[in-house]
Amino acid sequence: MFKKVCILSGNSHPELAAAIATFLETPLGKSKMTRFSDGESFVEIGENVRGVDAFVIQPTCLPVNDNVMELLIICDALRRASAGSITAVIPYYGYARQDRKVAPRTPITSKLVADLIVASGVTRVVSVDLHAGQIQGFFNIPFDHLYAMPVMLDDFLRKSFDSAAVCVSPDAGGVERARAYSKRLNASLAIIDKRRERANVSEVMHLIGDVKGKDCIIIDDMIDTAGTLCGAAGALADHGARKIVACATHGVLSGPALQRIAESPIHELVVSDTIPLSAEAKATGKIRQVSIARLLGEAIKRIHSSDSVSSLFA
Protein backbone atom coordinates (compact mmCIF):
# COMPACT_ATOMS: atom_id res chain seq x y z
CA MET A 1 0.00 0.00 0.00
CA PHE A 2 2.82 2.38 0.83
CA LYS A 3 6.03 3.24 -0.92
CA LYS A 4 9.18 4.02 0.99
CA VAL A 5 7.85 2.79 4.32
CA CYS A 6 9.06 0.02 6.61
CA ILE A 7 7.15 -1.39 9.60
CA LEU A 8 9.51 -3.12 12.03
CA SER A 9 8.64 -5.13 15.12
CA GLY A 10 10.67 -5.58 18.27
CA ASN A 11 10.35 -8.72 20.36
CA SER A 12 7.99 -7.26 22.95
CA HIS A 13 4.74 -7.53 20.96
CA PRO A 14 5.06 -9.07 17.46
CA GLU A 15 1.32 -9.88 17.37
CA LEU A 16 0.37 -6.19 17.54
CA ALA A 17 2.95 -5.30 14.89
CA ALA A 18 1.56 -8.00 12.60
CA ALA A 19 -1.99 -6.71 13.11
CA ILE A 20 -0.89 -3.16 12.27
CA ALA A 21 0.90 -4.38 9.13
CA THR A 22 -2.23 -6.28 8.09
CA PHE A 23 -4.35 -3.15 8.55
CA LEU A 24 -1.87 -1.16 6.44
CA GLU A 25 -1.70 -3.93 3.83
CA THR A 26 2.08 -3.90 3.90
CA PRO A 27 4.48 -6.64 5.03
CA LEU A 28 6.57 -6.33 8.15
CA GLY A 29 10.15 -5.27 7.48
CA LYS A 30 12.87 -7.86 7.79
CA SER A 31 15.05 -7.74 10.87
CA LYS A 32 16.93 -10.22 13.03
CA MET A 33 17.29 -9.81 16.77
CA THR A 34 19.65 -12.08 18.67
CA ARG A 35 21.57 -12.11 21.94
CA PHE A 36 25.17 -12.81 22.73
CA SER A 37 25.87 -15.42 25.39
CA ASP A 38 26.27 -12.70 28.03
CA GLY A 39 22.82 -11.27 27.26
CA GLU A 40 23.79 -8.37 24.97
CA SER A 41 21.18 -7.60 22.31
CA PHE A 42 22.14 -7.49 18.63
CA VAL A 43 19.97 -6.28 15.75
CA GLU A 44 20.44 -6.57 12.00
CA ILE A 45 18.06 -4.88 9.56
CA GLY A 46 17.45 -7.32 6.72
CA GLU A 47 16.56 -4.92 3.92
CA ASN A 48 17.49 -1.56 2.40
CA VAL A 49 15.96 1.29 4.42
CA ARG A 50 17.86 4.23 2.91
CA GLY A 51 15.46 7.17 2.67
CA VAL A 52 12.58 5.11 4.02
CA ASP A 53 10.05 6.16 6.68
CA ALA A 54 10.66 3.52 9.35
CA PHE A 55 8.13 2.76 12.09
CA VAL A 56 9.30 0.61 15.02
CA ILE A 57 6.52 -1.07 17.01
CA GLN A 58 7.83 -1.71 20.52
CA PRO A 59 5.87 -1.34 23.77
CA THR A 60 8.39 -1.13 26.60
CA CYS A 61 6.59 -3.60 28.86
CA LEU A 62 7.96 -6.53 30.88
CA PRO A 63 10.90 -7.14 30.68
CA VAL A 64 11.06 -3.35 30.62
CA ASN A 65 14.83 -2.82 30.56
CA ASP A 66 15.38 -5.41 27.81
CA ASN A 67 12.64 -3.91 25.64
CA VAL A 68 13.85 -0.34 26.12
CA MET A 69 17.35 -1.37 25.14
CA GLU A 70 16.11 -3.32 22.14
CA LEU A 71 14.14 -0.29 20.94
CA LEU A 72 17.25 1.90 21.21
CA ILE A 73 19.39 -0.61 19.31
CA ILE A 74 16.83 -1.02 16.50
CA CYS A 75 16.56 2.75 16.08
CA ASP A 76 20.34 3.17 16.12
CA ALA A 77 20.64 0.51 13.42
CA LEU A 78 18.07 2.34 11.29
CA ARG A 79 19.81 5.68 11.80
CA ARG A 80 23.15 4.21 10.73
CA ALA A 81 21.43 2.62 7.71
CA SER A 82 20.30 6.12 6.59
CA ALA A 83 16.56 5.71 7.17
CA GLY A 84 14.70 8.83 6.06
CA SER A 85 12.78 9.08 9.33
CA ILE A 86 12.41 6.87 12.40
CA THR A 87 9.13 6.83 14.31
CA ALA A 88 9.09 4.92 17.59
CA VAL A 89 5.57 3.55 18.09
CA ILE A 90 5.51 2.83 21.84
CA PRO A 91 1.95 1.80 22.73
CA TYR A 92 2.94 1.39 26.38
CA TYR A 93 5.65 3.77 27.59
CA GLY A 94 7.61 2.11 30.39
CA TYR A 95 8.93 4.25 33.26
CA ALA A 96 6.01 6.66 32.73
CA ARG A 97 5.25 6.66 36.46
CA GLN A 98 8.69 8.07 37.27
CA ASP A 99 7.83 11.46 35.76
CA ARG A 100 8.79 13.64 38.75
CA LYS A 101 10.85 13.63 41.93
CA VAL A 102 8.77 12.12 44.70
CA ALA A 103 11.48 12.35 47.38
CA PRO A 104 14.95 13.87 47.76
CA ARG A 105 17.75 12.30 45.71
CA THR A 106 15.44 10.34 43.39
CA PRO A 107 15.58 10.23 39.57
CA ILE A 108 13.16 11.35 36.88
CA THR A 109 13.62 8.19 34.86
CA SER A 110 10.85 8.99 32.38
CA LYS A 111 12.91 11.97 31.19
CA LEU A 112 16.08 9.84 31.06
CA VAL A 113 14.37 7.28 28.81
CA ALA A 114 13.08 10.11 26.60
CA ASP A 115 16.62 11.44 26.20
CA LEU A 116 17.90 7.97 25.30
CA ILE A 117 15.19 7.51 22.68
CA VAL A 118 15.99 10.84 21.04
CA ALA A 119 19.74 10.09 21.15
CA SER A 120 19.17 6.78 19.34
CA GLY A 121 17.97 8.67 16.25
CA VAL A 122 14.20 8.67 16.68
CA THR A 123 12.57 11.60 14.87
CA ARG A 124 9.00 11.09 16.11
CA VAL A 125 7.21 9.21 18.89
CA VAL A 126 3.69 7.75 18.98
CA SER A 127 2.27 6.49 22.26
CA VAL A 128 -1.09 5.66 23.82
CA ASP A 129 -2.55 6.94 27.11
CA LEU A 130 0.57 8.15 28.89
CA HIS A 131 0.37 7.90 32.66
CA ALA A 132 1.11 11.64 32.72
CA GLY A 133 0.41 13.66 29.58
CA GLN A 134 3.22 16.07 30.45
CA ILE A 135 5.74 13.39 29.47
CA GLN A 136 5.30 14.66 25.91
CA GLY A 137 7.30 17.69 27.03
CA PHE A 138 10.30 15.48 27.83
CA PHE A 139 10.83 15.04 24.09
CA ASN A 140 12.21 17.75 21.82
CA ILE A 141 10.80 15.95 18.79
CA PRO A 142 7.19 15.59 17.57
CA PHE A 143 5.08 13.41 19.86
CA ASP A 144 1.64 12.05 18.97
CA HIS A 145 -0.29 11.11 22.10
CA LEU A 146 -3.22 8.86 21.20
CA TYR A 147 -6.07 7.67 23.39
CA ALA A 148 -7.66 4.24 23.56
CA MET A 149 -11.04 5.73 24.50
CA PRO A 150 -12.58 5.56 20.98
CA VAL A 151 -11.64 1.87 20.75
CA MET A 152 -13.00 1.11 24.23
CA LEU A 153 -16.24 2.93 23.48
CA ASP A 154 -16.89 1.43 20.05
CA ASP A 155 -15.67 -2.12 20.70
CA PHE A 156 -17.08 -2.63 24.20
CA LEU A 157 -18.77 0.07 26.26
CA ARG A 158 -21.44 1.31 23.84
CA LYS A 159 -22.43 -2.30 23.14
CA SER A 160 -22.90 -3.17 26.81
CA PHE A 161 -23.92 0.00 28.69
CA ASP A 162 -26.20 3.00 28.38
CA SER A 163 -26.81 6.25 30.26
CA ALA A 164 -27.95 4.34 33.36
CA ALA A 165 -24.36 3.21 34.02
CA VAL A 166 -21.86 4.96 36.30
CA CYS A 167 -18.27 5.69 35.25
CA VAL A 168 -15.99 5.42 38.27
CA SER A 169 -12.58 6.95 38.81
CA PRO A 170 -10.57 4.68 41.17
CA ASP A 171 -8.65 7.68 42.54
CA ALA A 172 -8.69 11.46 42.41
CA GLY A 173 -6.02 11.59 39.70
CA GLY A 174 -8.20 9.76 37.20
CA VAL A 175 -11.28 11.97 37.48
CA GLU A 176 -10.65 13.76 34.17
CA ARG A 177 -10.39 10.42 32.34
CA ALA A 178 -13.56 9.00 33.92
CA ARG A 179 -15.43 12.24 33.22
CA ALA A 180 -14.49 12.03 29.53
CA TYR A 181 -15.93 8.52 29.32
CA SER A 182 -19.08 9.50 31.22
CA LYS A 183 -19.72 12.42 28.85
CA ARG A 184 -19.52 10.18 25.80
CA LEU A 185 -21.77 7.54 27.36
CA ASN A 186 -24.05 10.21 28.85
CA ALA A 187 -23.57 8.35 32.13
CA SER A 188 -23.12 9.59 35.67
CA LEU A 189 -19.79 9.85 37.51
CA ALA A 190 -18.46 8.51 40.80
CA ILE A 191 -15.07 8.96 42.47
CA ILE A 192 -13.14 6.77 44.88
CA ASP A 193 -11.15 8.79 47.41
CA LYS A 194 -8.09 6.68 48.18
CA ARG A 195 -5.07 7.16 50.38
CA ARG A 196 -1.88 5.34 49.37
CA GLU A 197 0.22 4.25 52.35
CA ARG A 198 3.23 3.02 50.35
CA ALA A 199 4.13 1.98 46.80
CA ASN A 200 1.72 -0.54 45.26
CA VAL A 201 -0.45 -0.55 48.41
CA SER A 202 -3.65 1.49 48.62
CA GLU A 203 -6.52 1.93 51.03
CA VAL A 204 -9.99 2.93 49.92
CA MET A 205 -11.43 5.70 52.09
CA HIS A 206 -14.65 7.19 50.64
CA LEU A 207 -17.01 6.86 47.69
CA ILE A 208 -18.35 10.05 46.13
CA GLY A 209 -21.48 9.43 44.04
CA ASP A 210 -24.52 7.15 43.87
CA VAL A 211 -23.85 3.59 42.67
CA LYS A 212 -26.56 1.57 44.48
CA GLY A 213 -28.29 -0.83 42.09
CA LYS A 214 -26.32 0.48 39.09
CA ASP A 215 -23.83 -0.96 36.61
CA CYS A 216 -20.40 0.52 37.37
CA ILE A 217 -17.48 0.93 34.97
CA ILE A 218 -14.12 1.55 36.64
CA ILE A 219 -11.93 3.58 34.27
CA ASP A 220 -8.13 3.65 34.57
CA ASP A 221 -5.08 4.07 32.37
CA MET A 222 -3.20 1.01 33.65
CA ILE A 223 -3.64 -1.97 35.94
CA ASP A 224 -0.37 -3.01 37.59
CA THR A 225 -0.71 -4.95 40.85
CA ALA A 226 -4.49 -4.31 40.80
CA GLY A 227 -4.57 -3.11 44.41
CA THR A 228 -6.26 0.17 43.52
CA LEU A 229 -8.66 -1.52 41.08
CA CYS A 230 -9.77 -4.28 43.44
CA GLY A 231 -10.03 -1.88 46.38
CA ALA A 232 -12.31 0.33 44.30
CA ALA A 233 -14.37 -2.68 43.22
CA GLY A 234 -14.77 -3.74 46.85
CA ALA A 235 -15.96 -0.26 47.81
CA LEU A 236 -18.51 -0.27 44.98
CA ALA A 237 -19.79 -3.69 46.00
CA ASP A 238 -20.12 -2.51 49.62
CA HIS A 239 -22.24 0.41 48.41
CA GLY A 240 -24.65 -1.82 46.48
CA ALA A 241 -23.37 -1.70 42.89
CA ARG A 242 -25.22 -4.21 40.72
CA LYS A 243 -22.47 -5.13 38.22
CA ILE A 244 -18.83 -4.02 38.22
CA VAL A 245 -16.61 -4.02 35.16
CA ALA A 246 -13.28 -2.29 34.59
CA CYS A 247 -11.61 -0.76 31.54
CA ALA A 248 -7.91 0.05 31.34
CA THR A 249 -5.64 0.85 28.43
CA HIS A 250 -2.56 -0.98 29.73
CA GLY A 251 -2.83 -4.38 31.37
CA VAL A 252 0.53 -4.56 33.15
CA LEU A 253 -0.84 -7.16 35.60
CA SER A 254 2.26 -7.79 37.69
CA GLY A 255 2.76 -9.45 41.06
CA PRO A 256 -0.50 -10.51 42.75
CA ALA A 257 -2.72 -8.81 40.15
CA LEU A 258 -4.30 -11.92 38.65
CA GLN A 259 -5.15 -13.46 42.02
CA ARG A 260 -6.64 -10.20 43.25
CA ILE A 261 -8.78 -9.83 40.14
CA ALA A 262 -9.96 -13.44 40.32
CA GLU A 263 -11.04 -12.98 43.94
CA SER A 264 -12.60 -9.54 43.44
CA PRO A 265 -16.24 -8.67 42.67
CA ILE A 266 -15.18 -7.49 39.20
CA HIS A 267 -17.30 -9.19 36.53
CA GLU A 268 -14.93 -8.42 33.67
CA LEU A 269 -11.72 -6.47 33.03
CA VAL A 270 -11.24 -5.16 29.51
CA VAL A 271 -7.79 -3.98 28.45
CA SER A 272 -6.30 -2.98 25.12
CA ASP A 273 -3.49 -4.92 23.49
CA THR A 274 -0.80 -2.29 24.10
CA ILE A 275 0.76 -5.04 26.24
CA PRO A 276 0.44 -8.74 25.36
CA LEU A 277 -1.64 -10.80 27.77
CA SER A 278 0.07 -13.72 29.46
CA ALA A 279 -1.40 -17.21 29.26
CA GLU A 280 -2.21 -16.96 32.97
CA ALA A 281 -4.17 -13.74 32.42
CA LYS A 282 -6.19 -15.30 29.60
CA ALA A 283 -6.92 -18.33 31.78
CA THR A 284 -8.65 -16.28 34.49
CA GLY A 285 -11.74 -15.93 32.32
CA LYS A 286 -12.28 -12.39 33.61
CA ILE A 287 -9.86 -10.54 31.33
CA ARG A 288 -10.21 -9.84 27.63
CA GLN A 289 -8.54 -7.55 25.13
CA VAL A 290 -9.67 -5.13 22.47
CA SER A 291 -7.21 -4.26 19.73
CA ILE A 292 -5.76 -0.83 19.05
CA ALA A 293 -4.10 -1.99 15.81
CA ARG A 294 -6.52 0.06 13.70
CA LEU A 295 -5.86 3.19 15.78
CA LEU A 296 -2.09 2.86 15.50
CA GLY A 297 -2.28 1.81 11.87
CA GLU A 298 -4.34 4.87 11.00
CA ALA A 299 -1.84 7.09 12.84
CA ILE A 300 1.06 5.55 10.91
CA LYS A 301 -0.80 6.01 7.64
CA ARG A 302 -1.43 9.70 8.35
CA ILE A 303 2.10 10.38 9.56
CA HIS A 304 3.58 8.78 6.45
CA SER A 305 1.29 10.76 4.12
CA SER A 306 1.73 14.01 6.13
CA ASP A 307 -1.97 14.18 6.98
CA SER A 308 -3.47 15.42 10.24
CA VAL A 309 -3.36 13.06 13.20
CA SER A 310 -5.30 15.36 15.55
CA SER A 311 -8.68 13.71 14.87
CA LEU A 312 -7.32 10.53 16.48
CA PHE A 313 -6.45 12.26 19.75
CA ALA A 314 -9.85 11.76 21.34
Side-chain angles (χ1 to χ4, degrees):
M1 182 177 179
F2 298 111
K3 295 180 179 179
K4 304 287 281 182
V5 66
C6 181
I7 311 295
L8 290 167
S9 171
N11 282 329
S12 64
H13 203 344
E15 297 86 2
L16 177 59
I20 292 171
T22 299
F23 173 83
L24 294 173
E25 299 178 348
T26 189
L28 281 174
K30 298 176 183 178
S31 61
K32 182 179 180 182
M33 279 152 279
T34 57
R35 290 184 183 275
F36 291 104
S37 59
D38 65 350
E40 289 183 10
S41 297
F42 178 77
V43 174
E44 183 176 5
I45 308 300
E47 57 187 273
N48 180 20
V49 294
R50 185 178 296 274
V52 164
D53 290 340
F55 295 84
V56 183
I57 317 296
Q58 178 80 336
T60 51
C61 50
L62 186 73
V64 179
N65 295 335
D66 288 350
N67 288 328
V68 168
M69 198 65 207
E70 187 177 274
L71 171 65
L72 300 176
I73 293 172
I74 294 171
C75 294
D76 183 71
L78 289 168
R79 176 172 63 91
R80 295 177 187 277
S82 301
S85 67
I86 304 169
T87 300
V89 181
I90 312 173
Y92 170 69
Y93 184 79
Y95 287 106
R97 285 170 285 183
Q98 298 186 42
D99 62 314
R100 63 196 185 282
K101 292 189 68 170
V102 296
R105 298 173 297 281
T106 56
I108 304 178
T109 316
S110 185
K111 168 61 173 169
L112 171 62
V113 172
D115 289 342
L116 291 171
I117 289 171
V118 174
S120 71
V122 170
T123 55
R124 189 181 201 100
V125 175
V126 178
S127 193
V128 181
D129 277 331
L130 289 170
H131 188 65
Q134 296 90 331
I135 290 172
Q136 298 170 79
F138 291 168
F139 292 83
N140 291 322
I141 55 175
F143 193 114
D144 293 312
H145 185 203
L146 306 180
Y147 298 90
M149 182 167 61
V151 177
M152 289 292 185
L153 288 171
D154 293 341
D155 291 2
F156 173 61
L157 292 176
R158 287 193 176 117
K159 297 177 180 178
S160 306
F161 299 95
D162 55 24
S163 59
V166 181
C167 291
V168 182
S169 173
D171 54 32
V175 173
E176 183 179 356
R177 184 182 303 107
R179 184 187 293 118
Y181 275 84
S182 68
K183 285 177 63 178
R184 283 158 179 80
L185 286 172
N186 197 27
S188 55
L189 177 68
I191 304 167
I192 303 289
D193 177 31
K194 171 206 69 175
R195 182 171 301 165
R196 186 179 298 276
E197 301 297 333
R198 59 184 186 276
N200 292 331
V201 176
S202 63
E203 180 183 359
V204 172
M205 303 298 288
H206 303 288
L207 172 65
I208 304 168
D210 180 22
V211 300
K212 187 174 183 179
K214 297 183 179 181
D215 293 340
C216 295
I217 311 161
I218 303 173
I219 307 293
D220 212 345
D221 63 328
M222 71 169 69
I223 307 298
D224 189 357
T225 60
T228 296
L229 173 68
C230 294
L236 293 172
D238 291 342
H239 284 77
R242 182 173 63 180
K243 179 182 177 182
I244 303 168
V245 301
C247 286
T249 304
H250 310 298
V252 180
L253 302 175
S254 66
L258 297 182
Q259 181 180 351
R260 286 174 172 172
I261 292 168
E263 296 172 353
S264 75
I266 295 171
H267 176 74
E268 185 176 34
L269 168 61
V270 180
V271 296
S272 77
D273 59 351
T274 56
I275 297 173
L277 271 187
S278 66
E280 294 79 9
K282 295 175 182 177
T284 64
K286 280 191 172 184
I287 305 172
R288 70 181 177 98
Q289 282 187 315
V290 295
S291 179
I292 60 163
R294 289 174 299 163
L295 175 70
L296 292 174
E298 185 64 30
I300 289 172
K301 182 191 298 186
R302 296 184 185 198
I303 291 168
H304 174 66
S305 58
S306 299
D307 291 333
S308 173
V309 185
S310 60
S311 63
L312 302 176
F313 286 2

